[in-house]
PDB file of all heavy atoms in Angstrom:
ATOM      1  N   PHE A 161       0.874  -1.208   0.011  1.00 93.00           N
ATOM      2  CA  PHE A 161       0.026  -0.012   0.035  1.00 93.00           C
ATOM      3  C   PHE A 161       0.892   1.335   0.032  1.00 93.00           C
ATOM      4  O   PHE A 161       0.536   2.240  -0.751  1.00 93.00           O
ATOM      5  CB  PHE A 161      -0.929   0.029   1.254  1.00 93.00           C
ATOM      6  CG  PHE A 161      -1.838   1.173   1.296  1.00 93.00           C
ATOM      7  CD1 PHE A 161      -2.904   1.256   0.490  1.00 93.00           C
ATOM      8  CD2 PHE A 161      -1.675   2.201   2.323  1.00 93.00           C
ATOM      9  CE1 PHE A 161      -3.677   2.401   0.474  1.00 93.00           C
ATOM     10  CE2 PHE A 161      -2.440   3.188   2.410  1.00 93.00           C
ATOM     11  CZ  PHE A 161      -3.546   3.402   1.486  1.00 93.00           C
ATOM     12  N   PHE A 162       2.011   1.273   0.790  1.00 93.00           N
ATOM     13  CA  PHE A 162       2.811   2.391   0.773  1.00 93.00           C
ATOM     14  C   PHE A 162       3.483   2.596  -0.611  1.00 93.00           C
ATOM     15  O   PHE A 162       3.508   3.812  -1.072  1.00 93.00           O
ATOM     16  CB  PHE A 162       3.939   2.129   1.893  1.00 93.00           C
ATOM     17  CG  PHE A 162       5.029   3.190   1.948  1.00 93.00           C
ATOM     18  CD1 PHE A 162       4.648   4.371   2.597  1.00 93.00           C
ATOM     19  CD2 PHE A 162       6.210   3.070   1.414  1.00 93.00           C
ATOM     20  CE1 PHE A 162       5.641   5.392   2.672  1.00 93.00           C
ATOM     21  CE2 PHE A 162       7.179   4.052   1.466  1.00 93.00           C
ATOM     22  CZ  PHE A 162       6.853   5.234   2.093  1.00 93.00           C
ATOM     23  N   GLN A 163       3.988   1.532  -1.205  1.00 92.00           N
ATOM     24  CA  GLN A 163       4.501   1.709  -2.520  1.00 92.00           C
ATOM     25  C   GLN A 163       3.513   2.314  -3.551  1.00 92.00           C
ATOM     26  O   GLN A 163       3.952   3.046  -4.347  1.00 92.00           O
ATOM     27  CB  GLN A 163       5.104   0.309  -3.044  1.00 92.00           C
ATOM     28  CG  GLN A 163       6.257  -0.161  -2.244  1.00 92.00           C
ATOM     29  CD  GLN A 163       7.522   0.707  -2.388  1.00 92.00           C
ATOM     30  OE1 GLN A 163       7.734   1.368  -3.444  1.00 92.00           O
ATOM     31  NE2 GLN A 163       8.255   0.905  -1.401  1.00 92.00           N
ATOM     32  N   PHE A 164       2.284   1.749  -3.470  1.00 92.00           N
ATOM     33  CA  PHE A 164       1.229   2.070  -4.394  1.00 92.00           C
ATOM     34  C   PHE A 164       0.968   3.593  -4.165  1.00 92.00           C
ATOM     35  O   PHE A 164       0.875   4.392  -5.175  1.00 92.00           O
ATOM     36  CB  PHE A 164       0.005   1.212  -4.147  1.00 92.00           C
ATOM     37  CG  PHE A 164      -1.173   1.695  -4.950  1.00 92.00           C
ATOM     38  CD1 PHE A 164      -1.245   1.443  -6.324  1.00 92.00           C
ATOM     39  CD2 PHE A 164      -2.288   2.292  -4.403  1.00 92.00           C
ATOM     40  CE1 PHE A 164      -2.347   1.825  -7.036  1.00 92.00           C
ATOM     41  CE2 PHE A 164      -3.321   2.634  -5.094  1.00 92.00           C
ATOM     42  CZ  PHE A 164      -3.428   2.459  -6.412  1.00 92.00           C
ATOM     43  N   MET A 165       0.676   4.058  -2.946  1.00 93.00           N
ATOM     44  CA  MET A 165       0.425   5.386  -2.665  1.00 93.00           C
ATOM     45  C   MET A 165       1.600   6.379  -3.016  1.00 93.00           C
ATOM     46  O   MET A 165       1.342   7.414  -3.493  1.00 93.00           O
ATOM     47  CB  MET A 165      -0.005   5.545  -1.214  1.00 93.00           C
ATOM     48  CG  MET A 165      -1.301   4.933  -0.884  1.00 93.00           C
ATOM     49  SD  MET A 165      -2.778   5.527  -1.849  1.00 93.00           S
ATOM     50  CE  MET A 165      -3.085   7.072  -1.180  1.00 93.00           C
ATOM     51  N   THR A 166       2.832   5.830  -2.811  1.00 92.00           N
ATOM     52  CA  THR A 166       3.950   6.760  -3.224  1.00 92.00           C
ATOM     53  C   THR A 166       3.985   6.918  -4.783  1.00 92.00           C
ATOM     54  O   THR A 166       4.204   7.987  -5.325  1.00 92.00           O
ATOM     55  CB  THR A 166       5.228   6.021  -2.864  1.00 92.00           C
ATOM     56  OG1 THR A 166       5.260   5.839  -1.416  1.00 92.00           O
ATOM     57  CG2 THR A 166       6.463   6.919  -3.168  1.00 92.00           C
ATOM     58  N   ARG A 167       3.697   5.833  -5.507  1.00 92.00           N
ATOM     59  CA  ARG A 167       3.716   5.948  -7.015  1.00 92.00           C
ATOM     60  C   ARG A 167       2.595   6.827  -7.493  1.00 92.00           C
ATOM     61  O   ARG A 167       2.684   7.487  -8.391  1.00 92.00           O
ATOM     62  CB  ARG A 167       3.722   4.563  -7.541  1.00 92.00           C
ATOM     63  CG  ARG A 167       4.973   3.863  -7.439  1.00 92.00           C
ATOM     64  CD  ARG A 167       5.060   2.565  -8.095  1.00 92.00           C
ATOM     65  NE  ARG A 167       6.299   1.946  -7.902  1.00 92.00           N
ATOM     66  CZ  ARG A 167       6.432   0.646  -7.866  1.00 92.00           C
ATOM     67  NH1 ARG A 167       5.522  -0.090  -8.007  1.00 92.00           N
ATOM     68  NH2 ARG A 167       7.644  -0.010  -7.555  1.00 92.00           N
ATOM     69  N   ILE A 168       1.420   6.629  -7.009  1.00 92.00           N
ATOM     70  CA  ILE A 168       0.150   7.209  -7.424  1.00 92.00           C
ATOM     71  C   ILE A 168       0.076   8.634  -7.158  1.00 92.00           C
ATOM     72  O   ILE A 168      -0.336   9.540  -7.849  1.00 92.00           O
ATOM     73  CB  ILE A 168      -1.070   6.452  -7.004  1.00 92.00           C
ATOM     74  CG1 ILE A 168      -1.991   6.274  -8.126  1.00 92.00           C
ATOM     75  CG2 ILE A 168      -1.835   7.076  -5.896  1.00 92.00           C
ATOM     76  CD1 ILE A 168      -3.108   5.351  -7.907  1.00 92.00           C
ATOM     77  N   SER A 169       0.481   9.019  -5.928  1.00 90.00           N
ATOM     78  CA  SER A 169       0.281  10.402  -5.362  1.00 90.00           C
ATOM     79  C   SER A 169       1.546  11.341  -5.725  1.00 90.00           C
ATOM     80  O   SER A 169       1.431  12.497  -5.798  1.00 90.00           O
ATOM     81  CB  SER A 169      -0.052  10.465  -3.932  1.00 90.00           C
ATOM     82  OG  SER A 169       1.010   9.996  -3.130  1.00 90.00           O
ATOM     83  N   ASP A 170       2.677  10.665  -5.710  1.00 85.00           N
ATOM     84  CA  ASP A 170       3.961  11.412  -5.894  1.00 85.00           C
ATOM     85  C   ASP A 170       4.101  12.467  -4.765  1.00 85.00           C
ATOM     86  O   ASP A 170       4.619  13.576  -5.061  1.00 85.00           O
ATOM     87  CB  ASP A 170       4.087  12.020  -7.304  1.00 85.00           C
ATOM     88  CG  ASP A 170       5.502  11.878  -7.751  1.00 85.00           C
ATOM     89  OD1 ASP A 170       6.204  11.135  -7.251  1.00 85.00           O
ATOM     90  OD2 ASP A 170       5.681  12.531  -8.815  1.00 85.00           O
ATOM     91  N   SER A 171       3.655  12.044  -3.582  1.00 89.00           N
ATOM     92  CA  SER A 171       3.725  13.043  -2.481  1.00 89.00           C
ATOM     93  C   SER A 171       5.078  13.175  -1.894  1.00 89.00           C
ATOM     94  O   SER A 171       5.812  12.188  -1.711  1.00 89.00           O
ATOM     95  CB  SER A 171       2.786  12.458  -1.362  1.00 89.00           C
ATOM     96  OG  SER A 171       2.942  13.235  -0.178  1.00 89.00           O
ATOM     97  N   TYR A 172       5.529  14.383  -1.768  1.00 91.00           N
ATOM     98  CA  TYR A 172       6.842  14.665  -1.177  1.00 91.00           C
ATOM     99  C   TYR A 172       7.056  14.124   0.138  1.00 91.00           C
ATOM    100  O   TYR A 172       8.174  13.851   0.619  1.00 91.00           O
ATOM    101  CB  TYR A 172       7.244  16.192  -1.369  1.00 91.00           C
ATOM    102  CG  TYR A 172       6.480  17.052  -0.515  1.00 91.00           C
ATOM    103  CD1 TYR A 172       6.809  17.348   0.754  1.00 91.00           C
ATOM    104  CD2 TYR A 172       5.277  17.630  -0.962  1.00 91.00           C
ATOM    105  CE1 TYR A 172       6.041  18.182   1.540  1.00 91.00           C
ATOM    106  CE2 TYR A 172       4.507  18.509  -0.241  1.00 91.00           C
ATOM    107  CZ  TYR A 172       4.887  18.846   1.101  1.00 91.00           C
ATOM    108  OH  TYR A 172       4.173  19.660   1.786  1.00 91.00           O
ATOM    109  N   LEU A 173       5.968  14.102   0.927  1.00 92.00           N
ATOM    110  CA  LEU A 173       5.936  13.601   2.243  1.00 92.00           C
ATOM    111  C   LEU A 173       6.244  12.033   2.274  1.00 92.00           C
ATOM    112  O   LEU A 173       7.107  11.582   3.087  1.00 92.00           O
ATOM    113  CB  LEU A 173       4.665  13.946   3.014  1.00 92.00           C
ATOM    114  CG  LEU A 173       4.297  15.342   3.163  1.00 92.00           C
ATOM    115  CD1 LEU A 173       2.879  15.479   3.603  1.00 92.00           C
ATOM    116  CD2 LEU A 173       5.319  16.022   4.130  1.00 92.00           C
ATOM    117  N   LEU A 174       5.549  11.375   1.473  1.00 92.00           N
ATOM    118  CA  LEU A 174       5.835   9.968   1.374  1.00 92.00           C
ATOM    119  C   LEU A 174       7.115   9.628   0.827  1.00 92.00           C
ATOM    120  O   LEU A 174       7.795   8.619   1.257  1.00 92.00           O
ATOM    121  CB  LEU A 174       4.751   9.213   0.501  1.00 92.00           C
ATOM    122  CG  LEU A 174       3.365   9.032   1.130  1.00 92.00           C
ATOM    123  CD1 LEU A 174       2.404   8.444   0.141  1.00 92.00           C
ATOM    124  CD2 LEU A 174       3.442   8.272   2.406  1.00 92.00           C
ATOM    125  N   LEU A 175       7.570  10.439  -0.153  1.00 92.00           N
ATOM    126  CA  LEU A 175       8.867  10.260  -0.761  1.00 92.00           C
ATOM    127  C   LEU A 175       9.980  10.476   0.246  1.00 92.00           C
ATOM    128  O   LEU A 175      11.076   9.793   0.333  1.00 92.00           O
ATOM    129  CB  LEU A 175       9.140  11.125  -1.955  1.00 92.00           C
ATOM    130  CG  LEU A 175       8.385  10.722  -3.151  1.00 92.00           C
ATOM    131  CD1 LEU A 175       8.463  11.916  -4.193  1.00 92.00           C
ATOM    132  CD2 LEU A 175       8.705   9.478  -3.658  1.00 92.00           C
ATOM    133  N   SER A 176       9.909  11.437   1.192  1.00 93.00           N
ATOM    134  CA  SER A 176      10.827  11.642   2.262  1.00 93.00           C
ATOM    135  C   SER A 176      10.797  10.467   3.291  1.00 93.00           C
ATOM    136  O   SER A 176      11.878  10.060   3.782  1.00 93.00           O
ATOM    137  CB  SER A 176      10.640  12.975   3.033  1.00 93.00           C
ATOM    138  OG  SER A 176       9.303  12.960   3.680  1.00 93.00           O
ATOM    139  N   VAL A 177       9.695   9.965   3.663  1.00 92.00           N
ATOM    140  CA  VAL A 177       9.684   8.762   4.478  1.00 92.00           C
ATOM    141  C   VAL A 177      10.301   7.567   3.806  1.00 92.00           C
ATOM    142  O   VAL A 177      11.111   6.833   4.414  1.00 92.00           O
ATOM    143  CB  VAL A 177       8.227   8.340   4.808  1.00 92.00           C
ATOM    144  CG1 VAL A 177       8.067   7.035   5.547  1.00 92.00           C
ATOM    145  CG2 VAL A 177       7.606   9.441   5.717  1.00 92.00           C
ATOM    146  N   GLN A 178      10.101   7.347   2.439  1.00 93.00           N
ATOM    147  CA  GLN A 178      10.696   6.301   1.802  1.00 93.00           C
ATOM    148  C   GLN A 178      12.319   6.480   1.747  1.00 93.00           C
ATOM    149  O   GLN A 178      12.975   5.511   1.846  1.00 93.00           O
ATOM    150  CB  GLN A 178      10.161   6.234   0.268  1.00 93.00           C
ATOM    151  CG  GLN A 178      10.737   5.144  -0.484  1.00 93.00           C
ATOM    152  CD  GLN A 178      10.179   5.234  -1.902  1.00 93.00           C
ATOM    153  OE1 GLN A 178       9.949   6.277  -2.499  1.00 93.00           O
ATOM    154  NE2 GLN A 178       9.795   4.016  -2.438  1.00 93.00           N
ATOM    155  N   GLN A 179      12.737   7.742   1.655  1.00 94.00           N
ATOM    156  CA  GLN A 179      14.066   7.998   1.606  1.00 94.00           C
ATOM    157  C   GLN A 179      14.779   7.658   2.941  1.00 94.00           C
ATOM    158  O   GLN A 179      15.826   7.163   3.108  1.00 94.00           O
ATOM    159  CB  GLN A 179      14.292   9.425   1.240  1.00 94.00           C
ATOM    160  CG  GLN A 179      15.852   9.732   0.961  1.00 94.00           C
ATOM    161  CD  GLN A 179      16.485   8.868  -0.172  1.00 94.00           C
ATOM    162  OE1 GLN A 179      15.759   8.797  -1.110  1.00 94.00           O
ATOM    163  NE2 GLN A 179      17.676   8.455   0.004  1.00 94.00           N
ATOM    164  N   VAL A 180      14.014   7.896   4.105  1.00 93.00           N
ATOM    165  CA  VAL A 180      14.445   7.609   5.391  1.00 93.00           C
ATOM    166  C   VAL A 180      14.685   6.096   5.532  1.00 93.00           C
ATOM    167  O   VAL A 180      15.705   5.599   6.002  1.00 93.00           O
ATOM    168  CB  VAL A 180      13.609   8.152   6.451  1.00 93.00           C
ATOM    169  CG1 VAL A 180      13.928   7.589   7.806  1.00 93.00           C
ATOM    170  CG2 VAL A 180      13.600   9.640   6.601  1.00 93.00           C
ATOM    171  N   PHE A 181      13.726   5.333   5.041  1.00 89.00           N
ATOM    172  CA  PHE A 181      13.772   3.802   5.175  1.00 89.00           C
ATOM    173  C   PHE A 181      14.901   3.303   4.371  1.00 89.00           C
ATOM    174  O   PHE A 181      15.767   2.494   4.632  1.00 89.00           O
ATOM    175  CB  PHE A 181      12.536   3.243   4.749  1.00 89.00           C
ATOM    176  CG  PHE A 181      11.554   3.186   5.726  1.00 89.00           C
ATOM    177  CD1 PHE A 181      10.272   3.809   5.564  1.00 89.00           C
ATOM    178  CD2 PHE A 181      11.767   2.657   7.021  1.00 89.00           C
ATOM    179  CE1 PHE A 181       9.295   3.957   6.573  1.00 89.00           C
ATOM    180  CE2 PHE A 181      10.696   2.673   8.056  1.00 89.00           C
ATOM    181  CZ  PHE A 181       9.525   3.240   7.831  1.00 89.00           C
ATOM    182  N   ARG A 182      15.147   3.948   3.092  1.00 91.00           N
ATOM    183  CA  ARG A 182      16.266   3.501   2.135  1.00 91.00           C
ATOM    184  C   ARG A 182      17.583   3.867   2.876  1.00 91.00           C
ATOM    185  O   ARG A 182      18.439   3.030   2.802  1.00 91.00           O
ATOM    186  CB  ARG A 182      16.096   4.212   0.847  1.00 91.00           C
ATOM    187  CG  ARG A 182      15.057   3.612   0.042  1.00 91.00           C
ATOM    188  CD  ARG A 182      15.091   4.231  -1.378  1.00 91.00           C
ATOM    189  NE  ARG A 182      14.011   3.613  -2.225  1.00 91.00           N
ATOM    190  CZ  ARG A 182      13.659   4.099  -3.342  1.00 91.00           C
ATOM    191  NH1 ARG A 182      14.177   5.241  -3.803  1.00 91.00           N
ATOM    192  NH2 ARG A 182      12.693   3.536  -3.947  1.00 91.00           N
ATOM    193  N   ASP A 183      17.729   5.002   3.397  1.00 92.00           N
ATOM    194  CA  ASP A 183      18.962   5.243   4.065  1.00 92.00           C
ATOM    195  C   ASP A 183      19.275   4.414   5.257  1.00 92.00           C
ATOM    196  O   ASP A 183      20.445   3.965   5.460  1.00 92.00           O
ATOM    197  CB  ASP A 183      19.030   6.830   4.550  1.00 92.00           C
ATOM    198  CG  ASP A 183      18.992   7.778   3.431  1.00 92.00           C
ATOM    199  OD1 ASP A 183      19.431   7.290   2.277  1.00 92.00           O
ATOM    200  OD2 ASP A 183      18.649   8.901   3.653  1.00 92.00           O
ATOM    201  N   THR A 184      18.244   4.138   6.008  1.00 86.00           N
ATOM    202  CA  THR A 184      18.385   3.130   7.240  1.00 86.00           C
ATOM    203  C   THR A 184      18.755   1.807   6.718  1.00 86.00           C
ATOM    204  O   THR A 184      19.714   1.152   7.232  1.00 86.00           O
ATOM    205  CB  THR A 184      17.019   3.170   8.006  1.00 86.00           C
ATOM    206  OG1 THR A 184      16.729   4.385   8.444  1.00 86.00           O
ATOM    207  CG2 THR A 184      17.309   2.137   9.214  1.00 86.00           C
ATOM    208  N   TRP A 185      18.157   1.277   5.669  1.00 83.00           N
ATOM    209  CA  TRP A 185      18.407   0.012   5.123  1.00 83.00           C
ATOM    210  C   TRP A 185      19.909  -0.065   4.550  1.00 83.00           C
ATOM    211  O   TRP A 185      20.570  -1.080   4.777  1.00 83.00           O
ATOM    212  CB  TRP A 185      17.415  -0.367   4.109  1.00 83.00           C
ATOM    213  CG  TRP A 185      17.621  -1.773   3.612  1.00 83.00           C
ATOM    214  CD1 TRP A 185      18.049  -2.201   2.390  1.00 83.00           C
ATOM    215  CD2 TRP A 185      17.480  -3.069   4.381  1.00 83.00           C
ATOM    216  NE1 TRP A 185      18.115  -3.619   2.330  1.00 83.00           N
ATOM    217  CE2 TRP A 185      17.883  -4.178   3.573  1.00 83.00           C
ATOM    218  CE3 TRP A 185      16.991  -3.309   5.627  1.00 83.00           C
ATOM    219  CZ2 TRP A 185      17.770  -5.535   3.938  1.00 83.00           C
ATOM    220  CZ3 TRP A 185      17.015  -4.630   6.010  1.00 83.00           C
ATOM    221  CH2 TRP A 185      17.360  -5.705   5.269  1.00 83.00           C
ATOM    222  N   LYS A 186      20.253   0.996   3.845  1.00 87.00           N
ATOM    223  CA  LYS A 186      21.559   1.097   3.275  1.00 87.00           C
ATOM    224  C   LYS A 186      22.672   0.920   4.377  1.00 87.00           C
ATOM    225  O   LYS A 186      23.624   0.427   4.356  1.00 87.00           O
ATOM    226  CB  LYS A 186      21.744   2.249   2.476  1.00 87.00           C
ATOM    227  CG  LYS A 186      23.160   2.361   1.747  1.00 87.00           C
ATOM    228  CD  LYS A 186      23.106   3.227   0.531  1.00 87.00           C
ATOM    229  CE  LYS A 186      24.464   3.420  -0.025  1.00 87.00           C
ATOM    230  NZ  LYS A 186      25.385   2.357  -0.011  1.00 87.00           N
ATOM    231  N   ALA A 187      22.334   1.716   5.475  1.00 84.00           N
ATOM    232  CA  ALA A 187      23.287   1.681   6.540  1.00 84.00           C
ATOM    233  C   ALA A 187      23.423   0.283   7.285  1.00 84.00           C
ATOM    234  O   ALA A 187      24.496  -0.126   7.592  1.00 84.00           O
ATOM    235  CB  ALA A 187      22.845   2.745   7.754  1.00 84.00           C
ATOM    236  N   LEU A 188      22.334  -0.419   7.315  1.00 79.00           N
ATOM    237  CA  LEU A 188      22.286  -1.774   7.884  1.00 79.00           C
ATOM    238  C   LEU A 188      23.164  -2.675   6.903  1.00 79.00           C
ATOM    239  O   LEU A 188      23.906  -3.603   7.369  1.00 79.00           O
ATOM    240  CB  LEU A 188      20.901  -2.284   8.041  1.00 79.00           C
ATOM    241  CG  LEU A 188      20.033  -1.711   9.191  1.00 79.00           C
ATOM    242  CD1 LEU A 188      18.721  -2.128   9.109  1.00 79.00           C
ATOM    243  CD2 LEU A 188      20.765  -2.068  10.558  1.00 79.00           C
ATOM    244  N   GLN A 189      22.986  -2.511   5.615  1.00 79.00           N
ATOM    245  CA  GLN A 189      23.639  -3.331   4.595  1.00 79.00           C
ATOM    246  C   GLN A 189      25.152  -3.065   4.674  1.00 79.00           C
ATOM    247  O   GLN A 189      25.912  -3.938   4.462  1.00 79.00           O
ATOM    248  CB  GLN A 189      23.096  -3.165   3.225  1.00 79.00           C
ATOM    249  CG  GLN A 189      21.838  -3.798   3.012  1.00 79.00           C
ATOM    250  CD  GLN A 189      21.276  -3.676   1.641  1.00 79.00           C
ATOM    251  OE1 GLN A 189      21.672  -2.703   0.994  1.00 79.00           O
ATOM    252  NE2 GLN A 189      20.494  -4.511   1.161  1.00 79.00           N
ATOM    253  N   ASP A 190      25.548  -1.764   4.919  1.00 82.00           N
ATOM    254  CA  ASP A 190      26.928  -1.410   5.014  1.00 82.00           C
ATOM    255  C   ASP A 190      27.609  -2.095   6.140  1.00 82.00           C
ATOM    256  O   ASP A 190      28.755  -2.354   6.047  1.00 82.00           O
ATOM    257  CB  ASP A 190      27.063   0.068   5.071  1.00 82.00           C
ATOM    258  CG  ASP A 190      26.760   0.801   3.754  1.00 82.00           C
ATOM    259  OD1 ASP A 190      26.710   0.106   2.770  1.00 82.00           O
ATOM    260  OD2 ASP A 190      26.570   2.034   3.746  1.00 82.00           O
ATOM    261  N   GLU A 191      26.864  -2.241   7.228  1.00 78.00           N
ATOM    262  CA  GLU A 191      27.386  -2.872   8.424  1.00 78.00           C
ATOM    263  C   GLU A 191      27.170  -4.433   8.279  1.00 78.00           C
ATOM    264  O   GLU A 191      27.561  -5.202   9.212  1.00 78.00           O
ATOM    265  CB  GLU A 191      26.689  -2.466   9.661  1.00 78.00           C
ATOM    266  CG  GLU A 191      26.859  -0.923  10.015  1.00 78.00           C
ATOM    267  CD  GLU A 191      28.332  -0.567  10.237  1.00 78.00           C
ATOM    268  OE1 GLU A 191      28.964  -1.413  10.974  1.00 78.00           O
ATOM    269  OE2 GLU A 191      28.840   0.411   9.835  1.00 78.00           O
ATOM    270  N   GLN A 192      26.657  -4.944   7.286  1.00 77.00           N
ATOM    271  CA  GLN A 192      26.467  -6.328   6.893  1.00 77.00           C
ATOM    272  C   GLN A 192      25.625  -7.064   7.993  1.00 77.00           C
ATOM    273  O   GLN A 192      25.940  -8.170   8.495  1.00 77.00           O
ATOM    274  CB  GLN A 192      27.746  -7.011   6.775  1.00 77.00           C
ATOM    275  CG  GLN A 192      28.572  -6.540   5.602  1.00 77.00           C
ATOM    276  CD  GLN A 192      29.859  -7.235   5.524  1.00 77.00           C
ATOM    277  OE1 GLN A 192      30.344  -7.909   6.297  1.00 77.00           O
ATOM    278  NE2 GLN A 192      30.491  -6.921   4.309  1.00 77.00           N
ATOM    279  N   VAL A 193      24.556  -6.396   8.456  1.00 76.00           N
ATOM    280  CA  VAL A 193      23.671  -6.948   9.421  1.00 76.00           C
ATOM    281  C   VAL A 193      22.277  -6.965   8.891  1.00 76.00           C
ATOM    282  O   VAL A 193      21.288  -7.125   9.649  1.00 76.00           O
ATOM    283  CB  VAL A 193      23.717  -6.206  10.891  1.00 76.00           C
ATOM    284  CG1 VAL A 193      25.019  -6.431  11.497  1.00 76.00           C
ATOM    285  CG2 VAL A 193      23.383  -4.760  10.707  1.00 76.00           C
ATOM    286  N   GLY A 194      21.971  -6.817   7.632  1.00 70.00           N
ATOM    287  CA  GLY A 194      20.738  -6.657   7.009  1.00 70.00           C
ATOM    288  C   GLY A 194      19.932  -7.972   7.168  1.00 70.00           C
ATOM    289  O   GLY A 194      18.806  -8.011   7.641  1.00 70.00           O
ATOM    290  N   GLY A 195      20.607  -9.098   6.911  1.00 75.00           N
ATOM    291  CA  GLY A 195      19.959 -10.382   7.015  1.00 75.00           C
ATOM    292  C   GLY A 195      19.611 -10.711   8.517  1.00 75.00           C
ATOM    293  O   GLY A 195      18.574 -11.261   8.836  1.00 75.00           O
ATOM    294  N   LEU A 196      20.561 -10.340   9.285  1.00 80.00           N
ATOM    295  CA  LEU A 196      20.239 -10.606  10.818  1.00 80.00           C
ATOM    296  C   LEU A 196      19.117  -9.689  11.299  1.00 80.00           C
ATOM    297  O   LEU A 196      18.323 -10.193  12.097  1.00 80.00           O
ATOM    298  CB  LEU A 196      21.475 -10.248  11.584  1.00 80.00           C
ATOM    299  CG  LEU A 196      21.497 -10.568  13.020  1.00 80.00           C
ATOM    300  CD1 LEU A 196      21.244 -12.043  13.279  1.00 80.00           C
ATOM    301  CD2 LEU A 196      22.766 -10.056  13.774  1.00 80.00           C
TER     302      LEU A 196
END
């Protein structure tokens, strides 16, 4: 639902929330604890 609403509405608020999650996930992958 989040992905659908982000694509359909192109809301800058949802895009910023998505960017926060991507940055967090990238930091977890850089530390190699994503799978854990």
Side-chain angles (χ1 to χ4, degrees):
F161 181 71
F162 178 77
Q163 293 294 328
F164 175 74
M165 291 304 283
T166 302
R167 288 185 185 146
I168 221 169
S169 70
D170 220 13
S171 168
Y172 64 91
L173 298 171
L174 285 178
L175 290 173
S176 64
V177 170
Q178 185 180 35
Q179 189 62 40
V180 167
F181 282 121
R182 283 185 181 168
D183 291 343
T184 305
W185 184 249
K186 183 159 176 29
L188 289 173
Q189 286 180 337
D190 289 344
E191 296 295 323
Q192 298 178 348
V193 292
L196 184 61

